[in-house]
Amino acid sequence: MSPRNSKANQPADEPSALLLAYYGDDFTGSTDVMEALSQAGLRTVLFLKPPTPEQLAKFPGLRAFGIAGGSRTMSPEEMERELPPAFEALKASGVPIIHYKLCSTFDSSPKIGSIGRAIEIGRRVFGERPTPLVVGAPMLGRYVAFGNLFARSGLDTEPSRLDRHPTMSRHPVTPMSEADVRVILAEQTSLPVELVNVVKLDQAASSRREEALTSETRKPKAETSQFAAPVVLFDTLREAHLPMIGREIERLAQGGQLFVAGSSGIEYALVEHWRAVGSVQRSEPAAGRPGPAKQFIAVSGSCSPVTARQIERAVEHGCLEVGTGPELLVPGGRFHRSICAASKHLAQGHSVIAHSSRGTNDERFIPALDASAQAGLCGALGNMLERLIEISGVRRAVVCGGDTSTHVARALGIEALEYLGPMAPGSPLCKVHAPGRIADGCEIVFKGGQVGRDDFFRDVLNGGPQRD
């Protein structure tokens, strides 16, 4: 199968026109993948549960679909229950590439959100061929060089090595004390890792020959794949590396349905490769760019300093805030008082942000909040958002925090999401499909805590990033 005759060229109304399916290890990361594909003009729908054929049929011209999961906060035992049926559902779709989408800051540990365990499960379901691993995504401020991961803390900052990152080095659940992805992964799995480093990528870029980058695809056909490393990690330092990585992934997929792991760098790499060979043209998504809104409603369970700066900047520009916290877990007066305060501000024409803390220095922040209490708090924020949408009629909203987003989406009864337009890299404005619920048809951004520039909320109000 040559790239120019790949499934990217087939009419979009054929079932085989599906190019890719994915499982996201958290909610906001799942919308990140949808954005990468949708911006290339490839219609993509994100479901909260594995979709039925009937649900897929509701979206003609579909090229990719995803499942918004929650494995980033699961133990290995929980992942063993959650991931196999989800992977089997993706496998049954027959798409050539199946992606386990993980956070670009590699949030994981041997006990929580183990990426190593997820790869092991994926290889059991999809077979023992090499698993490409792409963590970096330069357009999102995530870079891997000689296996070490660097990340920005918001778009207005310089990249930091992961173990010196202001947020990830002090993450309350998965603090990072190491930057080398291979070392982190070795604590989670015994699978060997082959690195395709930046030197090899640059050598390939300077050569006119399209040589294979990995040992698996360099071997003669007569050889078996048992001697190739099970996991192949790609450095991602520059956007120029992406088409070569995408070419290698497609090359590996020629041998049958391929399981890959990584950030949305996977999709950006594939799209750049498909564009390079002419099988995908540069085009705007059908939805176009969203327009400005008069108001928005935001709820935040994020404790990230990036979100804290964004809230502060929004308040400086006239947005009003409503402080909430663990008291929302107690039924009764406090929840209703918060609703009343927020709805009063909305009736006066203001945008409103209801948040559980402004960073880890906020007195309301509880680092030891257990999973059940956290789920209850985030669900309460979802109930608050639904009620405020109903009372005010405001149809544009923001949800801040990866774990928060999962619980809020469930509270709103969301079945699926589609891309509407960019707000911050990896956190697009989405159209909500929630049949029979208040949120159906709303425009909502589900934003990771560390995502976006300081003026993020003003961008949401204006319909997208503005030039200062």
Side-chain angles (χ1 to χ4, degrees), residues 2-3 21 31 56 87 105-106 117 151 167 172 184 203 221 228 253 264 269 291 304 312 327 354 361 413 420 433:
S2 70
T31 61
L56 291 174
F87 286 167
T105 47
F106 220 66
R117 180 59 63 91
T167 301
I184 300 171
Q203 288 173 341
K221 291 183 179 179
S264 58
S304 166
E312 181 178 7
E327 67 275 5
N361 293 326
L420 285 177
H433 296 274

Side-chain angles (χ1 to χ4, degrees), residues 55-76:
Q55 288 175 313
L56 291 174
K58 293 179 182 178
F59 302 94
L62 194 64
R63 309 308 306 278
F65 71 91
I67 302 170
S71 57
R72 195 180 75 174
T73 60
M74 293 181 184
S75 68

